Amino acid sequence: MSTVALLSAIGLTAACGESPERADAGGPGAAASTAAGRPERSEPLTGVELKAALLTAEQAVGFEITDGRSRDGAAPESSFDAKETVSPEVCRHVKEATSGDGEEASAASSIMYPAGTSISPRSTSLMSYPEEAARARMTQLREAVGACGRFRFSNRFGKSSVTSEELDVPDLGEDALRYRTLSRLGSSGFAWTLVTVVRVGGVIATMQVKVPTGPMTPEKLATFKPEPGPEEAVTVTLIKNVTEAEST
């Protein structure tokens, strides 16, 4: 299987828990954060506004940005044959957490690689909703993750089993999740995915790191497990950009 096909077969996401003071269902923590940090917007950000909040080349220190795009409205139907089954079905929310749910008002995305390399891409995604819908989206994601420590999916590239684990997450935005997944791709090997999801008002920002591997022993596989690294600093900058955009 080619690297492109391998990456297309992965697309994995999951999430971790929240602390009580950062409840996502409109609790005291979320209300206090909104009151202290920014006024609540009455309308979602547009695609143009989201794209302006993406990392710039100057901000993405240590990385090279290779792609950037934005749109208004939900993602159009793709001509790519992406028909896929997920079991249990609720885990589809986990797997597709970074690609929207069809209810987003606008979206923007970019891809960057560690400078001088073409491996381990960092994919940035911004999706804008009415704030209440963004809160509900995060809650939905948590509930799915709670039920999906293990799940399976199949598509045109074959079948895969997935495991996920929660990780500690920095105090970012108004609500933040972090998780890591391992996809077993049969004879093609494995793929790790490290995902950080942050909500600021009605915007959900995602930083996703993908690390595909070939076949290897469990001992060697463990040495490829992605840990939060150089993307940490630029993720902080990204959330600052989003916070400023939500405050205007």
Side-chain angles (χ1 to χ4, degrees), residues 168-186:
D168 292 336
V169 60
D171 185 13
L172 295 170
E174 295 168 43
D175 186 27
L177 314 169
R178 175 172 285 166
Y179 54 89
R180 182 168 51 209
T181 63
L182 175 63
S183 177
R184 295 165 176 81
L185 305 174

Side-chain angles (χ1 to χ4, degrees), residues 57-187:
E58 292 73 23
Q59 291 174 329
V61 178
F63 294 93
E64 295 177 355
I65 299 174
T66 62
D67 183 39
R69 61 191 67 189
S70 67
R71 58 178 166 79
D72 288 312
E77 291 292 330
S78 173
S79 59
F80 176 72
D81 181 10
K83 184 177 181 180
E84 188 169 73
T85 60
V86 182
S87 180
E89 176 63 25
V90 66
C91 301
R92 188 176 299 278
H93 294 305
V94 175
K95 187 176 182 300
E96 299 176 357
T98 62
S99 58
D101 58 1
E103 300 299 324
E104 59 272 17
S106 60
S109 62
S110 63
I111 298 174
M112 62 184 184
Y113 291 83
T117 74
S118 59
I119 59 174
S120 299
R122 272 68 169 174
S123 301
T124 299
S125 173
L126 302 179
M127 292 177 287
S128 184
Y129 301 84
E131 186 159 339
E132 184 177 352
R135 291 176 185 273
R137 173 73 170 154
M138 293 289 280
T139 298
Q140 180 187 59
L141 180 57
R142 280 200 189 84
E143 291 175 348
V145 169
C148 297
R150 293 177 179 273
F151 64 95
R152 297 176 180 274
F153 71 89
S154 61
N155 55 31
R156 62 178 295 187
F157 298 105
K159 299 179 180 180
S160 178
S161 61
V162 185
T163 57
S164 65
E165 60 180 318
E166 298 180 4
L167 300 176
D168 292 336
V169 60
D171 185 13
L172 295 170
E174 295 168 43
D175 186 27
L177 314 169
R178 175 172 285 166
Y179 54 89
R180 182 168 51 209
T181 63
L182 175 63
S183 177
R184 295 165 176 81
L185 305 174
S187 61

